[in-house]
Amino acid sequence: MVYGKRSMRASVSSFEDQVCGLACLGSRPWARIIGIAIVLLLVSSSAFGDFLVQPIMIKRQVHPGRTVPLEFKLENLGRDTTELVSLKLADLTQNIHGVWQEVEPDDPNNTVDVSKLRSCKSWLTIDVESAVVDPAQVVPITLLANIPGGTRGFYFAALVAETAPRQVQLDSAGALIGLRYIVPIILESQAGAPLPHAVTLTDVGLEYHPATLKNPTAAVYATMNITNNGGTYSRLQGILRVHQEVGGNWRRVADLKLTPT
């Protein structure tokens, strides 16, 4: 995991699957529309408009002391629209639902301690800040990863590719629409024996919410705080088992598997 602490949350009455890989454009005037576009984008894989970034995630095993090229493609499938795409590198983290997010240190709402991230942003170099992708064209982009000597374990960063906003019609109204891809870069530096896992459960909470007029179905909410203090990149599967005492006996109410993160 990238984030120092993670929470798994579940409700006995309802669940909401989380999808990850992309983020909207922050607090800009058209962010609300972009948020809608991102929902459509997540449902329909990596395409919106007719613009693609491939691959949408790169995971590579590397060796200390070497320089490794990381290759991407910007592809415009449109027939009549040229895309101007800005490119930058960013630190990478995940929220409590496992959704990849870039870290913007200048954002006043940022709560991520960058010093605690296993970041490989400083290893990466990109020789272009923007690219013009004509209709039906593919533009290759190469990043160079200079792996420092003596490094072990997993390190993370992101390539952020953002199209210039353009005017489109939505429900007979004009709107500026753009798209931002957050492409996770996950590098596993191999040197010697694999690092041991250091993933621990630090806190568990269980809270009962009785039925109300607004929410007529009673629910139990469970939370788990999980800390990864190691150099491994771990996936977690949470299982919530709820029992109820009735007449001195315990009966199982629910046995629910949470979405892996």
Side-chain angles (χ1 to χ4, degrees):
M1 292 185 304
V2 187
Y3 214 15
K5 291 187 177 180
R6 295 279 297 281
S7 296
M8 287 184 170
R9 302 179 184 271
S11 166
V12 173
S13 58
S14 65
F15 284 90
E16 180 179 359
D17 291 335
Q18 302 293 330
V19 282
C20 64
L22 298 151
C24 61
L25 293 176
S27 58
R28 305 187 182 185
W30 28 286
R32 184 179 301 275
I33 298 175
I34 289 298
I36 298 172
I38 289 298
V39 172
L40 297 175
L41 174 64
L42 291 171
V43 173
S44 61
S45 184
S46 60
F48 172 75
D50 284 315
F51 177 72
L52 300 169
V53 178
Q54 298 180 343
I56 197 59
M57 173 185 290
I58 191 165
K59 186 176 180 181
R60 183 75 58 84
Q61 292 180 342
V62 297
H63 296 278
R66 298 185 182 179
T67 299
V68 180
L70 306 176
E71 298 179 349
F72 297 86
K73 293 191 299 183
L74 309 178
E75 185 172 1
N76 186 354
L77 302 178
R79 297 181 179 180
D80 54 10
T81 302
T82 296
E83 297 285 1
L84 176 60
V85 184
S86 63
L87 302 166
K88 70 173 184 178
L89 298 170
D91 285 312
L92 184 70
T93 187
Q94 291 171 283
N95 66 13
I96 62 173
H97 303 296
V99 178
W100 295 110
Q101 294 181 333
E102 67 169 308
V103 179
E104 300 187 43
D106 297 332
D107 184 352
N109 297 318
N110 174 50
T111 59
V112 178
D113 186 351
V114 178
S115 66
K116 294 183 178 180
L117 296 177
R118 293 182 63 86
S119 174
C120 60
K121 176 187 173 184
S122 62
W123 305 356
L124 305 176
T125 57
I126 183 172
D127 57 3
V128 294
E129 295 183 352
S130 63
V132 176
V133 190
D134 292 324
Q137 296 296 311
V138 175
V139 175
I141 300 294
T142 299
L143 278 67
L144 292 180
N146 297 291
I147 315 302
T151 57
R152 295 177 63 196
F154 284 85
Y155 295 83
F156 305 82
L159 171 66
V160 181
E162 181 177 338
T163 63
R166 63 175 183 265
Q167 189 80 16
V168 299
Q169 291 296 121
L170 290 177
D171 296 330
S172 301
L176 283 174
I177 293 292
L179 175 64
R180 171 179 285 189
Y181 281 95
I182 296 179
V183 182
I185 299 171
I186 305 172
L187 301 181
E188 181 188 7
S189 183
Q190 297 179 321
L195 291 174
H197 293 285
V199 180
T200 57
L201 181 66
T202 59
D203 188 29
V204 177
L206 190 67
E207 185 177 355
Y208 173 71
H209 289 241
T212 63
L213 292 176
K214 184 177 180 180
N215 298 302
T217 303
V220 174
Y221 293 89
T223 60
M224 294 184 290
N225 289 334
I226 300 167
T227 301
N228 183 357
N229 291 317
T232 59
Y233 175 48
S234 302
R235 293 190 63 83
L236 304 177
Q237 174 67 70
I239 299 177
L240 174 63
R241 293 190 175 100
V242 180
H243 293 75
Q244 181 183 20
E245 183 181 10
V246 179
N249 298 314
W250 288 90
R251 68 180 183 89
R252 179 175 293 183
V253 177
D255 192 348
L256 304 172
K257 184 178 291 188
L258 306 182
T259 303
T261 60

